[in-house]
Amino acid sequence: MLFSSTTFLYLFLPAVLLIYFVFLRWSRKLQNVFLLLASLLFYAWGEPKFVLIMMGSIVLNWAMGWLVSANKARKRLCKALVAIDIALNLSLLFVYKYLGFAGGIIETMVGADLGVPQIALPIGISFFTFQAMSYVIDVYREKGQLQKNILCVGLYISFFPQLIAGPIVRYETVADQIMNRKETLDDFVDGFARFIVGLAKKVLLSNSFAFLADQAFDMSRDGHTLSVAFSWLGAIAYTLQIFFDFGGYSDMGIGLGRMFGFHFLENFNYPYISTSITEFWRRWHMSLGTWFRDYVYIPLGGSRVKKSRMIFNLFVVWFLTGLWHGANFTFILWGLMYFVLLVVEKLTGFHQAKGKLVHVCKWLYTMLFVVLGWVLFRAETLGGAWTYLKSMFGLNGNALSDGMFIGYFKQSAILLTVGIVLCTPLFRVLKKKTEKNVLIDAITTVGLIGLFILSVASLISSSYNPFIYFNF
Amino acid sequence: MKFNKNIIVFVAAMLFILLGFTQQYYDNLKYTLISFVVQNEDAAEDFPALQKVIDKISTNELRYHNEMMNLNSLKQRLTGNRIVVKDTTTVVHVPGGSLIEPQKEKFTEEEMARSIDAIIQLQKCAQDSGAEFLYIAAPRKSVVIDTPEWVIDYRKESVASLINGLAKNDVPMLNLCELLEEKQRLNLSLFFNTDHHWKPEVGFWATGEICRELNERYGFEYESKYNEISNYNISVHKDCFLGSYGKKVGLYYVPGGADDISIITPKFETSFTEQRPYSNVERSGDFQTALLYMENINEVDYYRNSPYVTYSGGDFRLQILKNHLNPEGKKILILRDSFACVVTPFLALNASELHIADTRYFIPSEPLNVYDYIEEIKPDYVLLLYSGAGFPPDGDGCFNYDQNPS
């Protein structure tokens, strides 16, 4: 099920809120069981057979958590159990996500058809697998209490607000909240307001940019020559699409979690104002970045090692980051692009230079590589990415501009402007400055209601509503 | 404790959601769930279908479905959006205020050759059976305008390819596009703004041209008075028709909103029987009673009704019109797409029997082998009226004339 669907808005959410807050308000245990069942239904709506895989993952990680906790005193055994748990979780991920890809590589290398099955990818498997591993690791590190009740582990792993598109919720950040959270009216309504903002970002902004981006990338894939301007327009559209889609989903997830008393960490912090790649990755998909930092980079030694070892550690993290996003060389190359840029920044320190003009130059450098990176990310093949990138720099013998660019630019100018403005913290700054202004409060209230109705109108019209997390 | 304004937001949103529910929503949902639970043997296999139905109910049965469509159409227009995708249809708002659907993919030479060959085979079958054959090329919007540079549309190319292919093979053809161009009338005003069809007035004109062409080629006798518009009453129903494209993009997407539609009925005496063998339907009476479906225009519902199908009732596998005032007239079989809806009622005036077959959208329970049918009814004329190039290669069935279930 998607948040951005009328079934979710008109059936699932109202029913869950009603049952949770009215019929089950007297029992936290029952509330948790209900949320777990609701989350399983939410997942099963889109993946009726794969819900069993998620349930299997819950059982596995709950059992491993038990074993780790029971053998706390035996460090080596504990470590081995954690390693086994990680191996099992990654095996699950490998079979469903990477087997076909790996098989394809081997087949190419040996020049033979090995009959590797192409297995369908359960939606969200990358997210819930990482969350599941986080549970066992945090129990081992004693950063979170063992959950004796399997249903609580199930709720942590499968909780529907963050199940299919994150944020990746680390166990230590919510461990206590599973049984000891407190729902407040402020959290509830502020969470709902956040949900509306996320819904509007996804439905009103991201979907529109998606259409434009798809036109450009599909045309390039189908062999049409794009003008320089149109290819940049498509790339920028995708840059905005992925931010508002992902950011919108995170807003919805964080908002929904807050309604039920859960406080998830933020996932995006205006990444497109970054003036270095280092800063970009502290603002973009923060839950993934911190997961890799805390569970891969730091255990490998992090930055507190020899330079060569640090570079190796960065290589591992960014290779895995790319690979996590999808089973395709484009994602790996995308990850490794960031590896190279981050190493250059770490070794030269140029990203820390100061000055107004320098600041602008740094922002341009950052956004250039971010946009080019998204082209790599979006393309279906390395060849397709290369063709598109060449179009962006006029290396295909293509014109600077054409009717295609003019036509699409004209009709998307307003939305592009709105989108670019919303990438900046302008509204956050304005909000702070007008905090006690009654008129502004009224406008905001009406605005949120208006956004909700417009979003619903867009959903009812069944406008373009792509789901981009099928790789995850 | 400070009042949190978001309480108002939540309450308003929930009220808005509650307002959306209707008795129809509740009944359809209940019926769907009960049917699924009681009647499904393999729930896991059928679950995706259940989801689709529930998703559809959650959208289409909301009280304010139409208002939300209209609101979204206004939003699209105000933000300058000229292209909308809904389901698998891409609708483009072209200069002049009309909506078109571009053909985004080229047909391969093989696909084109297959379609041309199918038409040739049909011609041969008709002639072997003693019938005369005529292919009638009706114009589509994309063909009459230059689509904007930012729209990829292969329709013009596809139509030209088909016409040239038929001409090369000496298939008897009436190219209405060419005719309109000669008369300098080939423009968007021939069509509804919000629909892909031509207007009834154009269908009426086309009927006259078909009669003329059949007369010139094969000596077909017809009453010219039946093709003179002065012999008809024309009642214009304003702002009542939101066409196929309009239903996808909403009422306010184009400045003019809904289209007007004319209902053209004879001033002279008529008597017909309409039969639909696959549906066991038979209606008799004058032109309006037997050939028109006035319920499609008497009540305006932009998103559920289609006033266009006031003419002929829609697309049916087989429809037979018998003209009781012309028993000595010719028997005509016309294979068609929906452009024929506004042609066949008028064509029936000059025939004794008009057999209308739509071979598209293959429905297993309604098999029709056209070759066998031609043998069976032995028509005097076999006509094929299609609006250009709408024939997907995987068998929309446009040119599959031997649709028998295996």
Side-chain angles (χ1 to χ4, degrees), chain A residues 167-210:
Chain A
I168 300 172
V169 177
R170 301 257 299 278
Y171 178 63
E172 63 171 304
T173 65
V174 297
D176 191 52
Q177 294 176 54
I178 292 172
M179 288 307 292
N180 299 321
R181 65 187 178 277
K182 194 167 167 47
E183 301 91 334
T184 66
L185 181 61
D186 277 343
D187 277 340
F188 184 86
V189 295
D190 289 345
F192 186 73
R194 183 89 184 254
F195 173 80
I196 290 176
V197 169
L199 182 67
K201 277 183 185 176
K202 161 65 182 160
V203 169
L204 300 179
L205 289 175
S206 175
N207 287 353
S208 303
F209 296 130

Side-chain angles (χ1 to χ4, degrees), chain B residues 21-173:
Chain B
F21 292 109
T22 57
Q23 188 63 44
Q24 182 94 342
Y25 185 118
Y26 171 73
D27 288 341
N28 284 353
L29 193 64
K30 193 172 80 169
Y31 173 76
T32 302
L33 288 170
I34 291 171
S35 303
F36 179 78
V37 167
V38 167
Q39 292 169 11
N40 272 287
E41 288 172 4
D42 190 346
E45 283 296 315
D46 295 324
F47 190 66
L50 171 70
Q51 281 174 259
K52 273 199 177 109
V53 173
I54 291 180
D55 287 342
K56 212 168 182 180
I57 292 170
S58 296
T59 303
N60 294 348
E61 301 301 341
L62 292 171
R63 185 189 309 276
Y64 37 64
H65 168 271
N66 294 1
E67 288 77 8
M68 289 297 108
M69 286 287 300
N70 296 344
L71 178 63
N72 191 64
S73 70
L74 192 59
K75 181 210 88 185
Q76 298 274 41
R77 191 162 133 209
L78 291 175
T79 53
N81 192 7
R82 308 285 280 191
I83 185 164
V84 172
V85 175
K86 177 158 177 173
D87 304 324
T88 54
T89 307
T90 301
V91 179
V92 175
H93 180 191
V94 295
S98 195
L99 300 174
I100 68 165
E101 181 189 0
Q103 180 188 321
K104 290 189 286 186
E105 284 176 23
K106 250 191 222 186
F107 293 117
T108 64
E109 277 182 26
E110 192 193 65
E111 288 159 356
M112 189 62 67
R114 221 180 28 205
S115 296
I116 292 169
D117 187 59
I119 297 172
I120 293 168
Q121 293 306 315
L122 180 67
Q123 176 195 0
K124 187 174 180 307
C125 171
Q127 288 167 345
D128 287 348
S129 186
E132 302 290 1
F133 180 81
L134 183 68
Y135 179 82
I136 303 147
R140 287 280 280 237
K141 277 186 187 180
S142 294
V143 173
V144 311
I145 58 163
D146 291 323
T147 44
E149 217 181 313
W150 48 271
V151 178
I152 293 177
D153 189 356
Y154 294 110
R155 206 176 288 279
K156 238 185 207 168
E157 196 180 304
S158 305
V159 169
S161 207
L162 178 68
I163 301 290
N164 290 339
L166 294 175
K168 263 192 200 144
N169 286 278
D170 296 320
V171 172
M173 182 165 40

Side-chain angles (χ1 to χ4, degrees), chain B residues 175-343:
Chain B
N175 188 345
L176 292 170
C177 271
E178 220 170 55
L179 219 54
L180 286 161
E181 207 164 9
E182 282 167 19
K183 294 178 192 293
Q184 295 178 325
R185 284 182 57 198
L186 192 67
N187 55 58
L188 283 176
S189 67
L190 301 173
F191 304 89
F192 295 106
N193 281 338
T194 65
D195 195 66
H196 58 292
H197 293 114
W198 53 10
K199 293 177 179 171
E201 293 89 334
V202 187
F204 179 86
W205 166 85
T207 309
E209 294 304 318
I210 292 169
C211 291
R212 249 185 292 282
E213 185 73 14
L214 289 174
N215 172 263
E216 278 171 24
R217 281 184 185 267
Y218 308 122
F220 173 71
E221 286 176 11
Y222 66 98
E223 283 281 356
S224 58
K225 73 171 184 184
Y226 292 157
N227 300 327
E228 283 162 25
I229 198 68
S230 55
N231 293 323
Y232 292 81
N233 294 313
I234 303 173
S235 139
V236 178
H237 296 248
K238 288 194 163 297
D239 294 326
C240 72
F241 178 31
L242 191 64
S244 55
Y245 298 148
K247 284 180 171 61
K248 291 188 185 295
V249 301
L251 184 60
Y252 300 119
Y253 189 62
V254 289
D259 285 292
D260 303 338
I261 186 169
S262 304
I263 301 300
I264 305 170
T265 50
K267 289 177 181 170
F268 47 87
E269 191 192 354
T270 55
S271 178
F272 286 96
T273 294
E274 181 229 3
Q275 293 170 331
R276 278 193 270 134
Y278 287 97
S279 316
N280 287 319
V281 164
E282 185 167 307
R283 307 189 313 157
S284 293
D286 63 7
F287 182 95
Q288 181 161 321
T289 308
L291 306 189
L292 301 187
Y293 285 74
M294 297 302 292
E295 61 269 28
N296 291 298
I297 202 155
N298 290 337
E299 192 197 325
V300 177
D301 184 337
Y302 289 126
Y303 294 96
R304 288 184 212 269
N305 284 354
S306 176
Y308 179 78
V309 300
T310 301
Y311 293 92
S312 305
D315 307 327
F316 307 106
R317 179 70 79 222
L318 185 62
Q319 197 179 22
I320 303 168
L321 307 183
K322 290 182 177 166
N323 184 353
H324 301 300
L325 299 186
N326 190 9
E328 307 304 316
K330 297 297 183 184
K331 187 188 289 183
I332 302 175
L333 168 65
I334 180 166
L335 307 177
R336 43 76 97 199
D337 66 13
S338 54
F339 273 60
C341 281
V342 293
V343 168

Side-chain angles (χ1 to χ4, degrees), chain A residues 442-462:
Chain A
I443 292 172
T444 311
T445 302
V446 170
L448 280 170
I449 296 168
L451 277 181
F452 183 71
I453 293 173
L454 272 178
S455 301
V456 168
S458 188
L459 289 176
I460 286 173
S461 304
S462 299

